[in-house]
Amino acid sequence: MLGDSKLDQILCEYYIPNYILVPGSEIKKPPWVPSCPVLVFINSKSGGQLGGNLLSTYRSVLNTNQVFDLGETKPDKVLHQIYASLGSLKQRGDVLASAIENSLRIIVAGGDGTAGWLLSVISDLKLPRPPPVATVPLGTGNNLPFSFGWGKKNPGTNRQSVFSFLEQVRNANEMKIDSWHIIMRMRSPKGGSCDPIGPLELPHSLHAFHRISQTDKLGKDGYHTFRGGFWNYFSMGLDAQISYAFHSERKLHPEKFRNQLINQSTYVKLGCTRGWLFSSLFRPSPMNIAQLTKVKVMKKLGQWEDLKIPRSIGSIVCLNLPSFSGGFNPWGTPYRKKFLNRGLTPPFVDDGLIEIVGFRNVLHGLVLLAPNGHGHRLAQANAVRFEFKKGAANHTFMRIDGEPWKQPLPADDDTVVVEISHFGQVSMLATPSCRSRSVSDPSSPTACYDEDGNSTDEGETGDDFEEKRKFGAAESFKFPDELDIAHLS
């Protein structure tokens, strides 16, 4: 099991015995109750060789059966089985099982896509006390781990580095985080299937469903509904185009993308070569958002209003966390007077509000490097709706938590609709250097917070609401069994 060294004795605090992890195992209880039992999920193909090395180290210091390679095992099956075992053991009066369920924490190592996968599975379990999640940064952007104080650089993979990380997990605080439901409705492509759509490669978090309700105006023959969700951001426009180019290159030449620094420099070069860098700061971009789509926001439940987008904006981001594109905060920290004049609140991660930010080009994005740099603050809202009709382009680019795709736009009188709304919450683990802020955290700048801006479910009734309540996050985020996670961040 474990050695006799002092380090191994400390590691016992994270240990889970086999009889809980492996069905049918002999019940052999350790002579202690772990204070911080953990389940570890690692994308072994993230971070080049780092994922595989990290997997080996964790398996050497913990029970091998509590460390899972996501390339071999799907997290929904693991968690369903373990929580079923815990529930059965608790009913038989197993005190250790009860203690482990109450104090269980989860570690996920990979990029933002991998972390989002785990969060969606936990959300779908609908547990009375969902286990909080700590994220190990093995991707390119690493916005989720950076937002909660886990850093954005690839970690060490030796025994001491793993031990230090486990100690941080044990001492970390829990923090709620909003999740966001996304619906996309579009006419089915001619000559192509719907799931997935012909030549269109949608993110793994978007899946085809039947119409949402009988009252849905677009829920008719010839149209299809795709549902999914995200934890950090939905973006559209030039930044998503660069991300799409990056992911396309990585799929074609995976051997060139095995180093985090090289990946990040390649990303910057693509931003320059795609023409975004040299688009004017003062004239509208040839692919500006205002020409592509009509945007509506819901600031009060049930009341949609048009959002005016400046013609200079070439990229729009709907942001939940204070980290985008590898650690930048597009929202920034406005003066209190600006908050009051524009009716804005501080950007909390658990207030049911999403920040909507615009960018002109790469040069505008680079202002984020300055201490007080930020994008163009457009609005905060409970929900956002994009409506695309025949217009300036036959396609645009979209991105959900690091997963980009090329989205066809209407060529005739059809309509493509993307709607984002609040879905629920899960628990994250946060270190003392956490950048995210909670409405329940006394240290957060609540003086400017507008309590009337909170998101609730009151006022939303009818078929649409009931259908949304039936919607399961993991069903939307669920990754197909045949997915090659080498392409996942």
Side-chain angles (χ1 to χ4, degrees):
M1 183 180 63
L2 293 173
D4 296 327
S5 68
K6 182 177 180 180
L7 178 60
D8 285 338
Q9 291 175 9
I10 296 174
L11 289 170
C12 289
E13 300 298 334
Y14 309 99
Y15 182 79
I16 300 177
N18 274 332
Y19 83 93
I20 289 175
L21 300 167
V22 183
S25 297
E26 179 184 359
I27 297 181
K28 296 179 65 174
K29 297 183 181 181
W32 69 87
V33 176
S35 62
C36 182
V38 296
L39 293 174
V40 184
F41 295 89
I42 298 175
N43 185 341
S44 59
K45 298 185 179 178
S46 284
Q49 298 297 319
L50 292 180
N53 294 341
L54 198 63
L55 181 71
S56 298
T57 305
Y58 268 102
R59 284 179 170 172
S60 73
V61 300
L62 299 174
N63 182 346
T64 300
N65 290 317
Q66 70 187 92
V67 183
F68 303 92
D69 182 353
L70 290 171
E72 301 174 353
T73 309
K74 300 298 182 287
D76 51 341
K77 295 179 181 178
V78 170
L79 292 176
H80 275 286
Q81 181 267 308
I82 289 177
Y83 272 95
S85 295
L86 289 171
S88 176
L89 291 166
K90 282 173 56 182
Q91 287 184 343
R92 302 204 300 264
D94 192 313
V95 177
L96 178 61
S98 180
I100 286 177
E101 183 182 64
N102 290 334
S103 56
L104 182 65
R105 298 190 163 194
I106 287 180
I107 297 171
V108 53
D112 288 335
T114 303
W117 186 12
L118 260 295
L119 291 174
S120 66
V121 170
I122 294 169
S123 175
D124 195 58
L125 287 174
K126 296 178 173 60
L127 299 167
R129 187 192 177 280
V133 178
T135 51
V136 182
L138 283 184
T140 302
N142 298 316
N143 293 295
L144 268 166
F146 187 62
S147 296
F148 293 93
W150 301 102
K152 56 184 177 180
K153 294 182 179 180
N154 291 162
T157 60
N158 57 46
R159 188 179 173 92
Q160 184 57 47
S161 296
V162 166
F163 171 71
S164 297
F165 191 88
L166 287 168
E167 282 289 279
Q168 284 185 288
V169 170
R170 182 164 63 167
N171 296 322
N173 296 319
E174 292 189 35
M175 179 180 288
K176 293 291 185 182
I177 174 179
D178 291 326
S179 64
W180 293 88
H181 180 229
I182 182 167
I183 299 173
M184 183 170 71
R185 285 164 286 188
M186 61 181 290
R187 182 175 290 279
S188 56
K190 297 178 181 179
S193 64
C194 176
D195 190 17
I197 298 181
L200 177 61
E201 293 186 11
L202 289 173
H204 299 102
S205 59
L206 282 177
H207 289 264
F209 285 80
H210 295 297
R211 66 184 64 176
I212 296 174
S213 73
Q214 296 296 326
T215 59
D216 182 7
K217 295 180 180 179
L218 288 182
K220 56 188 179 183
D221 292 341
Y223 277 84
H224 292 284
T225 297
F226 297 85
R227 301 193 205 173
F230 63 93
W231 309 94
N232 190 9
Y233 66 86
F234 165 85
S235 69
M236 181 181 63
L238 296 169
D239 81 286
Q241 180 180 1
I242 295 169
S243 178
Y244 182 82
F246 174 83
H247 280 260
S248 297
E249 287 289 320
R250 186 165 66 174
K251 285 182 180 180
L252 289 173
H253 306 287
E255 71 281 357
K256 298 180 180 180
F257 293 83
R258 298 188 181 278
N259 180 279
Q260 187 184 45
L261 291 177
I262 293 176
N263 291 355
Q264 291 171 343
S265 64
T266 301
Y267 207 98
V268 173
K269 290 176 183 177
L270 286 171
C272 297
T273 58
R274 287 301 182 274
W276 193 14
L277 176 64
F278 302 106
S279 58
S280 172
L281 287 171
F282 306 104
R283 291 178 296 172
S285 163
M287 291 187 66
N288 68 76
I289 298 298
Q291 289 178 315
L292 290 176
T293 181
K294 182 177 183 179
V295 185
K296 295 178 179 255
V297 295
M298 185 184 291
K299 296 181 180 180
K300 294 184 179 179
L301 290 173
Q303 298 181 18
W304 289 103
E305 58 184 77
D306 292 335
L307 178 63
K308 184 178 180 181
I309 307 294
R311 292 182 60 82
S312 61
I313 297 299
S315 184
I316 193 168
V317 181
C318 299
L319 186 69
N320 188 43
L321 302 180
S323 181
F324 177 74
S325 291
F328 299 133
N329 181 7
W331 189 255
T333 52
Y335 291 113
R336 185 175 186 274
K337 184 176 181 180
K338 290 187 176 181
F339 275 137
L340 298 176
N341 288 346
R342 297 186 57 191
L344 302 176
T345 73
F348 299 116
V349 298
D350 56 353
D351 60 356
L353 295 175
I354 195 161
E355 281 68 45
I356 307 169
V357 190
F359 294 98
R360 294 187 292 270
N361 51 27
V362 166
L363 290 178
H364 188 195
L366 289 177
V367 304
L368 294 173
L369 295 171
N372 297 315
H374 61 84
H376 187 104
R377 303 182 189 100
L378 298 171
Q380 288 174 306
N382 304 114
V384 190
R385 180 183 174 97
F386 299 90
E387 296 180 359
F388 302 86
K389 296 184 182 295
K390 181 180 179 180
N394 58 12
H395 69 270
T396 188
F397 294 88
M398 298 180 180
R399 182 164 61 142
I400 297 176
D401 282 356
E403 286 196 89
W405 75 98
K406 185 178 180 179
Q407 174 61 45
L409 297 180
D412 43 35
D413 293 332
D414 296 334
T415 302
V416 173
V417 173
V418 176
E419 186 174 311
I420 296 167
S421 58
H422 188 260
F423 178 73
Q425 293 183 330
V426 294
S427 295
M428 300 295 294
L429 287 170
T431 74
S433 57
C434 173
R435 293 164 56 92
S436 299
R437 292 292 177 264
S438 167
V439 292
S440 59
D441 182 358
S443 65
S444 296
T446 55
C448 302
Y449 184 69
D450 179 7
E451 294 181 355
D452 293 334
N454 273 334
S455 173
T456 68
D457 290 332
E458 296 178 4
E460 189 174 3
T461 59
D463 293 336
D464 286 343
F465 174 69
E466 288 303 320
E467 290 296 328
K468 282 184 181 180
R469 296 296 291 177
K470 296 175 186 176
F471 163 71
E475 284 300 310
S476 171
F477 285 64
K478 186 172 65 177
F479 284 47
D481 290 337
E482 65 276 11
L483 171 68
D484 179 2
I485 65 169
H487 299 321
L488 181 66
S489 63

